[in-house]
PDB file of all heavy atoms in Angstrom:
ATOM      1  N   PHE B  61      46.728  12.778  29.216  1.00  0.00           N
ATOM      2  CA  PHE B  61      46.132  11.443  29.092  1.00  0.00           C
ATOM      3  C   PHE B  61      45.069  11.258  30.177  1.00  0.00           C
ATOM      4  O   PHE B  61      43.921  10.888  29.910  1.00  0.00           O
ATOM      5  CB  PHE B  61      47.263  10.412  29.212  1.00  0.00           C
ATOM      6  CG  PHE B  61      46.812   8.987  29.202  1.00  0.00           C
ATOM      7  CD1 PHE B  61      46.046   8.495  28.156  1.00  0.00           C
ATOM      8  CD2 PHE B  61      47.168   8.125  30.232  1.00  0.00           C
ATOM      9  CE1 PHE B  61      45.643   7.171  28.141  1.00  0.00           C
ATOM     10  CE2 PHE B  61      46.771   6.805  30.221  1.00  0.00           C
ATOM     11  CZ  PHE B  61      46.004   6.326  29.182  1.00  0.00           C
ATOM     12  N   LEU B  62      45.459  11.555  31.410  1.00  0.00           N
ATOM     13  CA  LEU B  62      44.577  11.347  32.549  1.00  0.00           C
ATOM     14  C   LEU B  62      43.367  12.281  32.501  1.00  0.00           C
ATOM     15  O   LEU B  62      42.210  11.846  32.643  1.00  0.00           O
ATOM     16  CB  LEU B  62      45.395  11.616  33.829  1.00  0.00           C
ATOM     17  CG  LEU B  62      44.667  11.514  35.155  1.00  0.00           C
ATOM     18  CD1 LEU B  62      44.243  10.078  35.387  1.00  0.00           C
ATOM     19  CD2 LEU B  62      45.581  11.957  36.296  1.00  0.00           C
ATOM     20  N   PHE B  65      41.004  11.481  29.621  1.00  0.00           N
ATOM     21  CA  PHE B  65      40.295  10.233  29.888  1.00  0.00           C
ATOM     22  C   PHE B  65      39.080  10.504  30.767  1.00  0.00           C
ATOM     23  O   PHE B  65      37.967  10.055  30.491  1.00  0.00           O
ATOM     24  CB  PHE B  65      41.222   9.225  30.576  1.00  0.00           C
ATOM     25  CG  PHE B  65      40.500   8.024  31.119  1.00  0.00           C
ATOM     26  CD1 PHE B  65      40.130   6.991  30.273  1.00  0.00           C
ATOM     27  CD2 PHE B  65      40.159   7.937  32.461  1.00  0.00           C
ATOM     28  CE1 PHE B  65      39.436   5.887  30.756  1.00  0.00           C
ATOM     29  CE2 PHE B  65      39.465   6.845  32.954  1.00  0.00           C
ATOM     30  CZ  PHE B  65      39.107   5.819  32.103  1.00  0.00           C
ATOM     31  N   LEU B 146      40.469   6.240  24.894  1.00  0.00           N
ATOM     32  CA  LEU B 146      40.242   5.267  25.975  1.00  0.00           C
ATOM     33  C   LEU B 146      38.960   5.611  26.739  1.00  0.00           C
ATOM     34  O   LEU B 146      38.172   4.728  27.085  1.00  0.00           O
ATOM     35  CB  LEU B 146      41.461   5.235  26.915  1.00  0.00           C
ATOM     36  CG  LEU B 146      41.445   4.160  27.998  1.00  0.00           C
ATOM     37  CD1 LEU B 146      41.415   2.769  27.381  1.00  0.00           C
ATOM     38  CD2 LEU B 146      42.651   4.288  28.927  1.00  0.00           C
ATOM     39  N   MET B 164      39.422   4.743  36.300  1.00  0.00           N
ATOM     40  CA  MET B 164      40.668   5.512  36.327  1.00  0.00           C
ATOM     41  C   MET B 164      41.764   4.750  37.075  1.00  0.00           C
ATOM     42  O   MET B 164      42.798   4.435  36.486  1.00  0.00           O
ATOM     43  CB  MET B 164      40.391   6.893  36.921  1.00  0.00           C
ATOM     44  CG  MET B 164      41.401   7.926  36.534  1.00  0.00           C
ATOM     45  SD  MET B 164      42.671   8.061  37.761  1.00  0.00           S
ATOM     46  CE  MET B 164      41.848   9.118  38.927  1.00  0.00           C
ATOM     47  N   ALA B 166      41.763   1.687  37.796  1.00  0.00           N
ATOM     48  CA  ALA B 166      41.900   0.344  37.220  1.00  0.00           C
ATOM     49  C   ALA B 166      42.720   0.358  35.932  1.00  0.00           C
ATOM     50  O   ALA B 166      43.499  -0.561  35.681  1.00  0.00           O
ATOM     51  CB  ALA B 166      40.512  -0.244  36.947  1.00  0.00           C
ATOM     52  N   LEU B 167      42.556   1.369  35.106  1.00  0.00           N
ATOM     53  CA  LEU B 167      43.202   1.350  33.788  1.00  0.00           C
ATOM     54  C   LEU B 167      44.374   2.317  33.669  1.00  0.00           C
ATOM     55  O   LEU B 167      45.279   2.107  32.865  1.00  0.00           O
ATOM     56  CB  LEU B 167      42.174   1.694  32.693  1.00  0.00           C
ATOM     57  CG  LEU B 167      41.054   0.688  32.506  1.00  0.00           C
ATOM     58  CD1 LEU B 167      40.065   1.182  31.460  1.00  0.00           C
ATOM     59  CD2 LEU B 167      41.613  -0.668  32.093  1.00  0.00           C
ATOM     60  N   ILE B 168      44.365   3.394  34.443  1.00  0.00           N
ATOM     61  CA  ILE B 168      45.399   4.416  34.275  1.00  0.00           C
ATOM     62  C   ILE B 168      46.560   4.187  35.253  1.00  0.00           C
ATOM     63  O   ILE B 168      47.723   4.273  34.866  1.00  0.00           O
ATOM     64  CB  ILE B 168      44.815   5.830  34.486  1.00  0.00           C
ATOM     65  CG1 ILE B 168      43.576   6.027  33.634  1.00  0.00           C
ATOM     66  CG2 ILE B 168      45.876   6.894  34.209  1.00  0.00           C
ATOM     67  CD1 ILE B 168      43.813   6.270  32.189  1.00  0.00           C
ATOM     68  N   LEU B 169      46.240   3.888  36.523  1.00  0.00           N
ATOM     69  CA  LEU B 169      47.314   3.740  37.515  1.00  0.00           C
ATOM     70  C   LEU B 169      48.329   2.660  37.151  1.00  0.00           C
ATOM     71  O   LEU B 169      49.536   2.893  37.254  1.00  0.00           O
ATOM     72  CB  LEU B 169      46.729   3.497  38.913  1.00  0.00           C
ATOM     73  CG  LEU B 169      46.457   4.757  39.744  1.00  0.00           C
ATOM     74  CD1 LEU B 169      46.044   4.387  41.168  1.00  0.00           C
ATOM     75  CD2 LEU B 169      47.688   5.673  39.782  1.00  0.00           C
ATOM     76  N   PRO B 170      47.914   1.468  36.724  1.00  0.00           N
ATOM     77  CA  PRO B 170      48.918   0.460  36.341  1.00  0.00           C
ATOM     78  C   PRO B 170      49.842   0.979  35.234  1.00  0.00           C
ATOM     79  O   PRO B 170      51.055   0.712  35.256  1.00  0.00           O
ATOM     80  CB  PRO B 170      48.068  -0.712  35.837  1.00  0.00           C
ATOM     81  CG  PRO B 170      46.742  -0.530  36.468  1.00  0.00           C
ATOM     82  CD  PRO B 170      46.542   0.936  36.634  1.00  0.00           C
ATOM     83  N   GLN B 171      49.266   1.717  34.294  1.00  0.00           N
ATOM     84  CA  GLN B 171      50.099   2.259  33.216  1.00  0.00           C
ATOM     85  C   GLN B 171      51.104   3.266  33.777  1.00  0.00           C
ATOM     86  O   GLN B 171      52.245   3.337  33.338  1.00  0.00           O
ATOM     87  CB  GLN B 171      49.234   2.941  32.158  1.00  0.00           C
ATOM     88  CG  GLN B 171      48.305   1.984  31.447  1.00  0.00           C
ATOM     89  CD  GLN B 171      47.844   2.554  30.109  1.00  0.00           C
ATOM     90  OE1 GLN B 171      48.654   2.940  29.270  1.00  0.00           O
ATOM     91  NE2 GLN B 171      46.549   2.630  29.919  1.00  0.00           N
ATOM     92  N   PHE B 172      50.637   4.033  34.771  1.00  0.00           N
ATOM     93  CA  PHE B 172      51.508   5.013  35.419  1.00  0.00           C
ATOM     94  C   PHE B 172      52.653   4.313  36.145  1.00  0.00           C
ATOM     95  O   PHE B 172      53.818   4.694  36.047  1.00  0.00           O
ATOM     96  CB  PHE B 172      50.661   5.853  36.387  1.00  0.00           C
ATOM     97  CG  PHE B 172      51.452   6.796  37.239  1.00  0.00           C
ATOM     98  CD1 PHE B 172      51.940   7.981  36.717  1.00  0.00           C
ATOM     99  CD2 PHE B 172      51.711   6.492  38.570  1.00  0.00           C
ATOM    100  CE1 PHE B 172      52.666   8.865  37.496  1.00  0.00           C
ATOM    101  CE2 PHE B 172      52.439   7.371  39.362  1.00  0.00           C
ATOM    102  CZ  PHE B 172      52.925   8.555  38.825  1.00  0.00           C
TER     103      PHE B 172
END
Side-chain angles (χ1 to χ4, degrees):
Chain B
F61 176 56
L62 178 66
F65 169 79
L146 187 62
M164 202 266 278
L167 295 177
I168 309 284
L169 270 187
Q171 296 200 54
F172 173 77

